[in-house]
């Protein structure tokens, strides 16, 4: 019995090892055909094992599990790739993503209204990088295209789901308390 | 001068510039001294003009808005108030709300930036493009194409087929039924058909027309779904059930 369990754990580890995308419990279940709860506890065991003297970490991201390296080894890995990582996102790109993340599905004019500038180029770049997707068309005049964030967006920012982002109302409170402590809401 | 130029470049738009001015002057965002802020705003625009930087139209629209608000605030309000009892709405309110909303998203953007930074120290498996890799399950890219997208794609194809030089009396070689069978069997085998790839098999305009009719008929019967990637992108044809996408059965 013990051997079976070890084997199952190895299989799951192998799946996680070769996958280039986070694997959902459902996806793993389809392959190994065991109860999700059992898979989950084996993944938990793996996670613990990695924490003790291992170069890997198991992270929960974009609704799945992913094997990544411990940040401690970043400097050598960067050297291996000669620093070649994808270009960081620009400020307009980050702002646009922020708006899409909270307002999705959202049209380009709606994004432009919030940022007060044209969003054409930014939206195209984000589509190309796979961080947003076209989610259909809005049923208003002109049927403008609707945009939404992708799983790759979650993965890129290390989020498990959109709920990991702070609620917008909280951000307002934050800004009211630390930004202007004296007499905000009064006039 | 030079040090202005550096700052000017970093403004993403009129709202960004306004937030900067509000911060720089340390004024309350709920009680913006419009006359002063408008003056500084226009000064910046003037500077941008002198430095030959392109001033986007949005900056000018905002300048007009600021001046409008300023004029409304200068106008005496008391007389109106006496008659109506209801206090006039602060003319700055709309602008303040936009600024506050934009500010929230700037904060989220900052948060995302930090997370991006954190993410840059963990490495994951990388599979070069074109190699076998996993797809994110839920996301079928593209959206349902409208009949007009389809017609414009069809027109493109028709233009690419040369006009016949001389008249030939054609027998009815092609039937809609036959094309329907063909499309459905192709879909069963391949899962997805690219609109552009079908046309490579087509010999003349008559066949193209029959093919198009078959497609329309299948859409009407809801036997197929047409999706387009991007605004002028490739059109793909699917079976309505996502099962067909994973052909591995």
């Amino acid at each position: 019995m013990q051997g079976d369990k070890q084997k199952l754990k190895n299989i799951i580890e192998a799946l996680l090892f070769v996958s280039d995308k986070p694997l959902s419990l459902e996806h793993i279940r389809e392959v190994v055909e065991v109860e999700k709860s059992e898979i989950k506890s084996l993944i938990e065991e793996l996670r613990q094992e990695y924490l003790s003297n291992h170069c890997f970490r198991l992270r929960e991201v974009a609704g799945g599990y992913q094997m990544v390296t411990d940040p401690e080894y970043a400097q050598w890995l960067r050297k291996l790739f000669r620093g070649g990582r994808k270009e960081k996102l620009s400020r307009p790109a980050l702002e646009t993503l922020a708006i899409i993340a909270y307002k999705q599905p959202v049209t380009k004019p709606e994004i432009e209204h919030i940022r007060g500038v044209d969003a054409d180029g930014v939206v195209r770049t984000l589509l190309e990088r796979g961080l947003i997707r076209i989610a259909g068309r809005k049923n208003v005049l002109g049927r403008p295209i609707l945009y939404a964030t992708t799983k790759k967006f979650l993965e890129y920012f290390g989020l498990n789901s959109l709920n990991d982002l702070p609620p917008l109302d909280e951000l307002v409170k934050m800004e009211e308390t630390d930004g202007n402590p004296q007499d905000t809401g009064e006039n | 001068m030079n040090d202005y130029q550096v700052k000017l470049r970093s403004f993403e738009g009129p709202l960004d510039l306004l937030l900067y001015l509000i911060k720089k002057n340390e004024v309350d965002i709920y009680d913006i001294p419009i006359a002063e802020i408008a003056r500084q705003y226009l000064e910046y625009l003037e500077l941008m003009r002198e430095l030959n930087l392109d001033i986007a139209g949005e900056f000018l629209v905002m300048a007009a808005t600021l001046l409008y608000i300023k004029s409304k605030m200068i106008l005496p309000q008391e007389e109106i108030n006496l008659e109506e009892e209801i206090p006039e709405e602060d003319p700055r309110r709309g602008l303040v709300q936009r600024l506050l909303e934009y500010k929230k998203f700037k904060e989220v953007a900052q948060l995302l930036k930090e997370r991006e930074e954190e993410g840059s120290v963990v490495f994951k498996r990388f599979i070069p493009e074109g190699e076998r890799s996993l797809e994110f399950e839920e996301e079928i890219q593209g959206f349902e194409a409208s009949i007009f997208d389809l017609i414009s794609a069809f027109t493109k194809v028709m233009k690419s087929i040369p006009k016949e030089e001389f008249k030939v009396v054609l027998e009815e070689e092609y039937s809609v039924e036959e094309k329907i069978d063909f499309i459905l069997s192709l879909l069963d085998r391949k899962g997805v058909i690219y609109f552009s790839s079908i046309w490579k098999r087509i010999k003349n305009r008559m066949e193209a027309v029959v093919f198009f009719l078959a497609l329309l008929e299948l859409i009407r019967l809801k036997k197929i779904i047409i999706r387009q990637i991007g605004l002028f992108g490739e059109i793909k044809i699917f079976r309505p059930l996502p099962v067909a996408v994973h052909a591995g059965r």
Side-chain angles (χ1 to χ4, degrees):
Chain A
M1 260 299 106
Q2 201 56 35
D4 283 357
K5 208 181 133 196
Q6 183 58 47
K7 186 158 186 206
L8 186 57
K9 190 157 81 178
N10 289 348
I11 295 168
I12 294 171
E13 188 175 27
L15 298 180
L16 291 165
F17 174 69
V18 298
S19 295
D20 61 325
K21 302 270 159 56
L23 280 182
S24 65
L25 274 182
E26 179 56 34
H27 206 152
I28 299 173
R29 196 193 59 81
E30 274 173 29
V31 179
V32 297
E33 293 172 336
V34 198
E35 290 283 312
K36 278 189 194 171
S37 56
E38 195 176 348
I39 299 168
K40 211 170 169 179
S41 76
L42 288 172
I43 288 177
E44 193 46 47
E45 280 181 30
L46 280 173
R47 197 213 303 273
Q48 293 304 329
E49 285 168 26
Y50 290 163
L51 281 175
S52 56
N53 200 22
H54 223 295
C55 70
F56 293 129
R57 291 288 171 270
L58 254 180
R59 68 169 181 174
E60 250 184 289
V61 72
Y65 295 90
Q66 186 173 46
M67 214 189 231
V68 294
T69 59
D70 187 330
E72 203 186 312
Y73 306 109
Q75 61 176 114
W76 291 280
L77 290 163
R78 254 189 228 123
K79 216 165 144 191
L80 176 69
F81 290 112
R82 291 170 214 269
R85 248 220 154 202
K86 262 206 163 167
E87 232 175 274
K88 295 253 166 75
L89 291 164
S90 67
R91 222 174 78 191
L94 288 165
E95 285 181 20
T96 306
L97 269 178
I99 294 167
I100 297 174
Y102 281 89
K103 299 272 179 174
Q104 60 187 314
V106 64
T107 66
K108 206 153 47 186
E110 286 161 353
I111 298 168
E112 287 168 344
H113 181 75
I114 294 174
R115 288 194 60 235
V117 275
D118 182 90
D120 254 349
V122 190
V123 165
R124 205 174 319 124
T125 316
L126 293 175
L127 276 174
E128 272 164 23
R129 288 189 67 163
L131 295 169
I132 59 170
R133 69 193 166 93
I134 289 169
R137 287 187 143 139
K138 194 170 183 173
N139 253 332
V140 295
L141 196 67
R143 312 228 320 127
I145 291 173
L146 288 163
Y147 299 94
T149 55
T150 58
K151 283 207 170 178
K152 194 169 171 194
F153 162 83
L154 295 175
E155 188 196 15
Y156 186 82
F157 292 104
L159 299 163
N160 199 20
S161 80
L162 287 168
N163 295 331
D164 288 354
L165 291 169
L168 269 195
D169 303 343
E170 242 163 60
L171 286 173
V172 183
K173 274 178 214 136
M174 250 159 59
E175 102 99 24
E176 274 178 4
T177 44
D178 69 24
N180 256 315
Q182 322 92 313
D183 65 339
T184 40
E186 267 156 51
N187 32 347
Chain B
M1 267 308 201
N2 274 340
D3 115 294
Y4 271 126
Q5 194 171 8
V6 174
K7 277 180 180 157
L8 278 169
R9 283 228 178 102
S10 67
F11 291 120
E12 300 304 338
L15 293 174
D16 200 22
L17 172 52
L18 276 180
L19 281 179
Y20 166 76
L21 291 176
I22 288 166
K23 204 175 159 197
K24 195 185 101 182
N25 290 281
E26 292 176 351
V27 294
D28 183 356
I29 197 165
Y30 291 93
D31 189 17
I32 304 169
I34 279 289
E36 179 56 22
I37 295 292
R39 192 187 60 76
Q40 293 186 21
Y41 182 92
L42 292 173
E43 235 174 59
Y44 265 91
L45 288 202
E46 182 57 27
L47 239 134
M48 282 165 89
R49 207 181 53 80
E50 276 172 28
L51 293 168
N52 278 329
L53 294 176
D54 263 343
I55 301 176
E58 296 96 359
F59 279 97
L60 301 176
V61 174
M62 180 57 75
T65 309
L66 288 174
L67 294 177
Y68 174 73
I69 296 173
K70 184 177 150 191
S71 69
K72 273 205 106 170
M73 292 189 70
I74 292 169
L75 286 176
Q77 295 182 3
E78 279 170 47
E79 295 158 40
I80 315 163
N81 276 348
L82 282 177
E83 285 166 26
E84 293 181 5
E85 290 271 327
I86 315 153
E88 272 268 294
E89 198 193 300
D90 190 330
R92 296 171 297 186
R93 224 188 107 192
L95 181 63
V96 170
Q97 248 148 25
R98 276 189 76 186
L99 283 170
L100 284 176
E101 181 162 42
Y102 175 57
K103 200 159 177 260
K104 273 186 278 179
F105 289 111
K106 272 179 77 89
E107 273 163 48
V108 179
Q110 184 55 38
L111 195 138
L112 290 178
K113 193 174 179 52
E114 283 157 22
R115 297 203 70 108
E116 183 186 39
E117 211 60 57
E118 284 166 29
S120 72
V121 293
V122 300
F123 288 70
K124 53 154 198 159
R125 171 160 312 276
F126 171 72
I127 295 183
E129 229 168 293
E131 301 281 312
R132 190 174 50 175
S133 84
L134 291 171
E135 302 264 340
F136 277 124
E137 299 131 66
E138 31 85 280
E139 284 157 12
I140 301 178
Q141 284 269 350
F143 52 93
E144 241 167 288
S146 75
I147 196 76
F148 299 106
D149 297 322
L150 211 55
I151 289 173
S152 67
F154 177 66
T155 321
K156 228 192 274 173
V157 172
M158 284 304 266
K159 276 189 193 142
S160 71
I161 301 173
K163 284 219 172 92
E164 279 109 63
E165 302 276 311
F166 45 86
K167 302 265 190 269
V168 187
V169 182
L170 288 169
E171 258 183 273
E172 279 197 25
E173 296 176 62
Y174 312 106
S175 73
V176 174
E177 288 80 11
E178 172 211 78
K179 292 296 172 208
I180 284 179
D181 287 345
F182 172 74
I183 294 167
L184 289 181
S185 70
L186 197 65
L187 270 179
D188 283 341
R189 264 188 294 131
K190 296 202 165 173
V192 187
I193 305 176
Y194 289 88
F195 195 78
S196 60
S197 74
I198 306 180
W199 302 105
K200 289 184 192 132
R201 307 159 182 269
I202 282 173
K203 292 185 229 65
N204 57 41
R205 294 170 79 85
M206 191 50 163
E207 190 178 6
V209 171
V210 173
F211 219 116
F212 194 62
L213 288 175
L215 275 181
L216 291 179
E217 183 65 10
L218 282 168
I219 294 168
R220 194 181 65 84
L221 296 170
K222 304 214 188 313
K223 291 262 167 102
I224 56 172
I225 290 178
I226 310 274
R227 283 183 188 278
Q228 185 177 26
I229 295 172
L231 200 45
F232 301 104
E234 174 74 272
I235 290 179
K236 287 184 186 178
I237 301 161
F238 295 93
R239 288 283 216 164
L241 287 174
V243 186
V245 180
H246 311 279
R249 275 203 293 174

